[in-house]
Structure formats: structure tokens, C-alpha cells
Amino acid sequence: MQEPRDPAELLKAAADDDQTAWDELESRFGPRMWAVARVCGLTEADAADAVQGAWLRLLEHLHDIREPSGVGAWLATTTRREALLILRKELPRAPFFDVALDSDPAAAVLEADSSRILWRTVSTLHEPCRTLLQLVATDLGYQQVALRLGVPLGSVGPTRTRCLEKLRTLISSQETVQ
Amino acid sequence: MINDEYFLAALRLAAGNDPMPGHVSAAARDAYGLRVPQAVTAAPAECAAPHGVRGIDGCQLVRFVAAGLTFDLEVTVGDGLIDVAGQIVPHPGEGTHVDVRTPHLTLTRRLARTGQFAATGLPPGWLSVVCHRPGHAPVQTRWVRIRP
């Protein structure tokens, strides 16, 4: 079986008219770009625009990416920038996204393609945080979460906030160590 | 609070609950067919009205500059479709044509003596204009997102 080509090689081949190299870039980095756009809070339609915009930017820069081996990170960053521009247009009064995009460790986690790390960190949390975050990540409503955890409905929101804060602290300390 | 929502979205995505739709992947692959070999890319520039602002009649004015050419585009979105009225100055010369492009549709227009051109009925989304001059490298504007 053929060895997968490295990103720099793929980029060079794509610049030299190789559609298969472009397709391979897409299959390798597309899902991460989608995740970045969605994490920014975009709807599916807007996220599709942000991802496509990033690919069009790559077309514009096929021959002048400074670090070809880092094309994956370049695509993720470009997707985030396009997502931010879309958000600014749709929600002109939402400057908080600037802060969130630049400083939230979740962005770094996603861009490092390490969702494994995120879930490993969740698994180190004590209960009820571990179960609660697993439940809210599957889009269960507060009522269902309260039932599953056996806690009053009114306590789910505040507990969720506390658990996310703990997760954020743990992720941030990992980022610092790295 | 928004940071919490953002973090939760990361968790949902990491849990694999929000896979990328197939049409997004297909559109990315099709985008490769939009490259213009040897093209010079015209960057956005300031125009009389601030870049990207909406005019009084709802149109959006955008300017791009490269290779001694200035592209002024007035983009209007009506009935869910895009109309583009543009001008390239100075006139790029005899035999020049422009492609007004979206990922799904390209309309080709000859330039008027004034450097003006128009294209109507384009689908909303990403838009770019490419100027083809005999004896010169093509000049393409950066892709710009146009939505109602």
C-alpha cells in the first residue's frame, strides 16, 4: 500500500495540476476546517461558506504558502478568519467572538486535531462533571440530563458552568505545559 | 457565556456528533477547477465608499487593485440572485474580456469602451472577476462572499 504523501508534497503536487493531491488535502483537512467553523458558532450554511472560502484562499495562494508543511494549520486558521468575518457581518454587535477565537483553548485543541486530548481530559474530571459533559455533548436537554444524573433540573445549568470551567482550567494548563 | 457555548460545541464536535456534510467536501474538491494559471490576484482596496459597505439602495461596493488595474464592483442582491455592475480602469485594452465567476456559474463579458461590464442572475455566495488581456497574465480579484 502506498505511503500517504506529506502535506508539503501534496501542496506542491496540487500547485502542479494534480487534482488527486488537492482531493487528498481536502479529505485530510476538510473535517477539521468544518469543526473550526462550527465551533465559531456558524450555522451549517455559513460554516459551508467559511470552509469553501478557505479553500478558495488556498487557490489564491497555491504557489506562495510560506510553510508548505503547515498547510493544515494554515487552512484551519484561514477558516477561522473567514468564520469571524461572516460572524461580524451577521452579528455586528458580537465583538466577544474576537476574544473567544484568539484565546479560547478549545480553538487550539481543535486546530491541533486533538479531540482525543479533549475527551481524555473530560475523563479525568470527577463526577458529576464527567457524565454531565458527556451528556450535554450528545445534545440531551437539561431535563434528560437531570433525570440521568438524578439531580434537580435547576441545578443542571450551574453545574454545567462549573464543569466547563474545570475543563477549561485543565485544558489551559495542558496548553501551558506544551 | 458564549465561551461556554463555544466549548460545548468543541465537545460535541469531538464526540463526532457534527460530521461535515458531503456537499461541503464536494464543493471543496470542485473548487480546484476554479484556479486560473499564472493569474495575478487583485487585493481589496479602499474606495470612495468604505470597502464592503452597502450603498443606499442595498448594493455593496468593493474595489480591488493589481497590475495597474482597478476593479470597481457594485454588487446587488435581489430575488435571491446577485447582479454585478463593474468597471476596470484604466481600460485594459482591445480584445479584453472578463469572467464573472461563482463556484457554480461563470459569465463571460466583453468590456465596453468605458471599461464597464455587467452580469446578472448569479447565485449568492463566493464571487470573483477575472480580467483576460491579450499578451498579459490574467488578473483575478480575490474571492468575496456576497449574501443577502
Side-chain angles (χ1 to χ4, degrees):
Chain A
M1 198 167 144
Q2 206 175 5
E3 284 284 308
R5 291 184 277 182
D6 70 47
E9 195 182 336
L10 288 172
L11 187 64
K12 185 174 183 310
D16 289 340
D17 281 344
D18 181 349
Q19 169 90 51
T20 64
W22 179 267
D23 291 352
E24 207 171 322
L25 285 171
E26 192 284 322
S27 61
R28 198 173 301 179
F29 300 117
R32 191 197 306 179
M33 294 160 71
W34 176 255
V36 168
R38 293 286 279 162
V39 156
C40 291
L42 295 186
T43 63
E44 278 205 13
D46 285 343
D49 270 0
V51 170
Q52 191 174 29
W55 287 112
L56 293 170
R57 298 284 171 246
L58 183 60
L59 273 193
E60 291 168 356
H61 292 283
L62 259 185
H63 296 274
D64 57 18
I65 296 286
R66 275 189 210 159
E67 290 180 37
S69 59
V71 64
W74 188 94
L75 282 165
T77 303
T78 305
T79 304
R80 200 170 53 168
R81 189 176 304 132
E82 294 300 334
L84 178 59
L85 289 171
I86 291 171
L87 282 169
R88 277 197 184 136
K89 197 174 170 192
E90 309 287 330
L91 303 166
R93 291 180 193 167
F96 44 76
F97 278 107
D98 278 325
V99 178
L101 288 168
D102 289 340
S103 63
D104 198 307
V109 167
L110 271 173
E111 291 194 16
D113 202 14
S114 11
S115 52
R116 200 169 36 86
I117 294 175
L118 190 58
W119 280 104
R120 198 170 62 206
T121 310
V122 170
S123 71
T124 65
L125 294 171
H126 295 297
E127 294 293 3
C129 287
R130 187 166 56 211
T131 303
L132 183 140
L133 290 181
Q134 284 166 353
L135 292 175
V136 294
T138 53
D139 281 334
L140 278 186
Y142 276 15
Q143 201 154 11
Q144 284 287 327
V145 173
L147 272 174
R148 300 269 185 108
L149 291 176
V151 298
L153 179 60
S155 72
V156 174
T159 309
R160 190 190 77 158
T161 303
R162 273 200 307 279
C163 293
L164 285 171
E165 193 50 49
K166 284 181 185 169
L167 179 62
R168 197 192 317 278
T169 306
L170 279 173
I171 293 279
S172 297
S173 63
Q174 287 176 13
E175 292 293 314
T176 309
V177 169
Q178 284 166 11
Chain B
M1 196 60 197
I2 191 67
N3 280 343
D4 279 356
E5 293 305 323
Y6 180 71
F7 218 93
L8 275 171
L11 282 169
R12 289 190 191 107
L13 288 161
N17 290 338
D18 186 13
M20 181 170 68
H23 71 87
V24 178
S25 171
R29 291 174 184 226
D30 290 347
Y32 190 62
L34 295 167
R35 70 198 186 288
V36 183
Q38 315 299 326
V40 175
T41 300
E46 292 292 324
C47 50
H51 175 75
V53 298
R54 287 178 191 278
I56 44 175
D57 54 354
C59 69
Q60 190 172 342
L61 307 169
V62 281
R63 171 173 286 178
F64 299 90
V65 176
L69 299 178
T70 298
F71 295 66
D72 279 325
L73 308 181
E74 187 178 300
V75 186
T76 311
V77 186
D79 295 333
L81 294 172
I82 300 174
D83 296 337
V84 180
Q87 185 173 26
I88 301 177
V89 290
H91 193 289
E94 221 26 59
T96 296
H97 72 271
V98 294
D99 289 333
V100 183
R101 305 191 306 162
T102 72
H104 301 292
L105 179 67
T106 294
L107 298 177
T108 300
R109 296 286 182 265
R110 292 253 162 232
L111 281 190
R113 283 184 184 173
T114 54
Q116 291 172 308
F117 61 93
T120 57
L122 292 152
W126 292 96
L127 176 85
S128 168
V129 173
V130 187
C131 173
H132 297 273
R133 299 179 283 177
H136 291 85
V139 182
Q140 64 174 351
T141 70
R142 287 192 77 195
W143 288 90
V144 58
R145 180 177 171 268
I146 307 291
R147 288 282 181 197

